[in-house]
Amino acid sequence: MENTDQSTVNYDEIAKNEFLKVRDVNNILGELNVARYLPLKNIVLRVFDHDSPADIQKVCCATQSVGTPLTVSVAGDYKSISEIKSFNCTILEESIDQFIDSIGKWERIRVLSGDIDKRVFEKAAEHNIYVAFAKILNEGRLELLNYVKEQSICFEYHRYGSIIEHPKVENYAFKTVGS
């Protein structure tokens, strides 16, 4: 995470200690109640003229820390396009109209402010896709929620009060590619 301020280091630390762990939240004998976060299938960050390269890099770092594949959609005439091409994420040069036409293929959309073309919100609503439009946060515990989905699993391993087996919470850990 070079070229970013110290706050982005928080993303990796929070991801490791909170978002990449599974935990049994109740610790009840005979019942396993797992809470975990899963990476999204994909997310797109649409860049607009008023977006700063530093904020774009923070989004790249945040998605990488939780394992969510990011595509950065940007107009070819964006003032800092050469800089964001060095951020180790997929860059897609396209017009706003091309972006709007492709909205249905994304699980989530990230923009860095709500001051955007209203057609983005309208098309996303047609496809039931969430548009995260809040300003980027330096606090990983809050910002990383934009790039994961939460899942709860309840497994009862008793039968009429008799314990059948005792499963391990680690069995429910999300396996990333290469792990």
Side-chain angles (χ1 to χ4, degrees):
M1 281 183 264
E2 50 192 77
N3 297 331
T4 60
D5 60 51
Q6 187 65 27
S7 63
T8 56
V9 175
N10 179 291
Y11 295 160
D12 286 337
E13 180 184 334
I14 296 294
K16 184 179 101 185
N17 294 328
E18 177 67 25
F19 291 96
L20 300 177
K21 283 189 172 185
V22 294
R23 55 183 54 90
D24 183 348
V25 293
N26 294 334
N27 293 317
I28 299 173
L29 184 62
E31 198 171 293
L32 185 66
N33 296 290
V34 174
R36 67 181 182 178
Y37 293 93
L38 302 174
L40 300 174
K41 287 185 297 188
N42 59 42
I43 187 169
V44 63
L45 168 65
R46 178 60 191 187
V47 175
F48 292 92
D49 290 336
H50 55 272
D51 297 336
S52 76
D55 286 346
I56 296 165
Q57 187 176 24
K58 286 180 184 181
V59 172
C60 292
C61 293
T63 56
Q64 289 169 6
S65 70
V66 294
T68 295
L70 171 71
T71 299
V72 177
S73 170
V74 60
D77 62 351
Y78 176 69
K79 63 187 179 295
S80 301
I81 195 163
S82 59
E83 186 176 352
I84 65 171
K85 284 183 176 180
S86 69
F87 292 163
N88 194 24
C89 55
T90 304
I91 306 292
L92 182 59
E93 291 184 47
E94 60 185 351
S95 69
I96 186 66
D97 292 325
Q98 291 170 314
F99 171 70
I100 290 170
D101 289 341
S102 72
I103 279 179
K105 71 180 187 179
W106 306 108
E107 187 171 358
R108 191 167 296 166
I109 299 167
R110 180 70 164 107
V111 293
L112 297 174
S113 82
D115 184 23
I116 62 170
D117 190 324
K118 76 175 193 164
R119 296 179 300 160
V120 172
F121 290 110
E122 291 167 351
K123 189 70 165 189
E126 286 177 23
H127 292 280
N128 199 25
I129 297 172
Y130 175 66
V131 178
F133 61 90
K135 182 181 176 199
I136 190 151
L137 301 171
N138 291 334
E139 175 51 53
R141 181 65 184 93
L142 299 173
E143 182 61 30
L144 295 179
L145 289 170
N146 290 309
Y147 314 110
V148 294
K149 52 190 165 190
E150 189 174 5
Q151 184 180 57
S152 298
I153 301 170
C154 181
F155 176 59
E156 294 179 356
Y157 56 95
H158 62 85
R159 180 88 175 165
Y160 304 115
S162 299
I163 303 299
I164 299 170
E165 60 181 300
H166 193 319
K168 303 268 187 268
V169 72
E170 295 80 21
N171 294 344
Y172 293 90
F174 177 75
K175 304 291 189 246
T176 58
V177 176
S179 64

